Amino acid sequence: MTAPERLQKLLSRAGVMSRRQADALLQAGRLRLNGQPARPGDRAVVGVDAITLDGQPVHLGAAQEQPRRTLLLHKPPGVLCTCRDPQGRPTVLDLLPPAAGQGLYPVGRLDRDSEGALLLTNDGDLALRLTHPRHGHSKTYRVWLAGFPGADHLAAWRSGLVLDGRRTRPARVELEHRSPMGSCLQIVLREGRKRQIRRIAHQLGHPVRRLQRLAISGLALGSLASGSWRWLETHDLDLLLNQEAR
C-alpha cells in the first residue's frame, strides 16, 4: 500500500496549491479529510482518502510529478490573487486559458486593488524559496500616494516602522516625482507582510492611491501589458534565484 503523505506535500506535489497555501487553508479550517476538519499534521493516500476544499472535492489524479511550469502575469487591479473564490469574484486563473492554468497557483500575495508582477507556478520548491523570509528576495514597487511625505517620513520608512508589534525590515524608498495629485515613490522590500506598503503609508498619513509591483527579485515586469502573461525560461529563473539576502 502507498505510504500516507502529509496533506501539504501531497497537494503541492499534485500541483493543486503551494505548501504555504495549504498551511493557510488548514489553519482557516477550509480543508477537510474524509469529512472531518483537516489538521496540519494529517496524512492521506491518493485514491483512498477524500479531501475537500470549501466542500468541493480536491482532485489529485495520480499525484504524479508534473513538469515544472512557471509564468509571469501582469495582474490587473480588481482581480483576486487566489485560485478560486467562493463569492465568484474574478481570480488570476480566470486570466489564463484553462490548459495553461491547470495546476498553477500564485507565489506570494498581491492584494485585490494592487497590480503588476505576479508569478504562478506548480513548482513547490521554487515557491518556497521565493517566499521564505530566510532568502530575503526583493520585490520592487511603484507607489502613488496622496499628499507629499516629508524627509522624516521617508527616513522612518527606510529604517523600519512597527506593524503588529514587530519592526519592518529596512527598505529602499526613493521619491520619483511629485504632481498636483500627490507623490510617486519607488520602494524595494525584502519581506512581504500582508498589505505592508498600504498599512505603512496609512500610518504616515499618506494613503496609497495606486500600487504596482514592477519586479520580483531580478525579474522585471517590463513591457508586459496588464492582463497578459508569459512562460518563464531558464534565464528568467536564474534572475529570480540568483538574488539572495546579503
Side-chain angles (χ1 to χ4, degrees), residues 79-193:
V79 176
L80 292 175
C81 185
T82 185
C83 294
R84 57 179 63 86
D85 178 58
Q87 300 178 42
R89 294 171 294 181
T91 73
V92 290
L93 287 188
D94 294 328
L95 300 172
L96 308 176
Q102 182 66 39
L104 300 185
Y105 48 81
V107 179
R109 296 183 293 255
L110 195 58
D111 66 60
R112 182 183 180 185
D113 297 326
S114 299
E115 59 192 282
L118 177 70
L119 296 173
L120 289 93
T121 190
N122 66 349
D123 186 343
D125 293 334
L126 175 67
L128 180 62
R129 185 165 175 181
L130 289 173
T131 56
H132 198 286
R134 74 171 177 267
H135 295 298
H137 288 283
S138 69
K139 296 180 179 65
T140 304
Y141 301 84
R142 179 167 288 125
V143 184
W144 290 260
L145 303 180
F148 310 104
D152 56 337
H153 281 173
L154 296 180
W157 202 332
R158 293 182 186 112
S159 62
L161 292 163
V162 175
L163 290 179
D164 301 323
R166 293 188 297 121
R167 186 170 294 278
T168 60
R169 295 180 64 177
R172 196 181 81 200
V173 182
E174 304 295 338
L175 177 65
E176 287 198 341
H177 64 263
R178 291 178 173 176
S179 73
M181 299 296 294
S183 307
C184 181
L185 309 180
Q186 186 171 124
I187 299 172
V188 181
L189 301 181
R190 286 189 176 272
E191 63 181 336
R193 301 196 205 177

Side-chain angles (χ1 to χ4, degrees), residues 7 11 17 25-26 29-38 49-59 84:
L7 282 178
L11 293 166
M17 64 185 71
L25 291 172
L26 286 167
R30 296 174 59 189
L31 283 170
R32 298 179 77 87
L33 177 63
N34 298 324
Q36 300 299 316
D49 296 298
I51 303 169
T52 59
L53 171 60
D54 296 331
Q56 299 300 313
V58 176
H59 300 290
R84 57 179 63 86

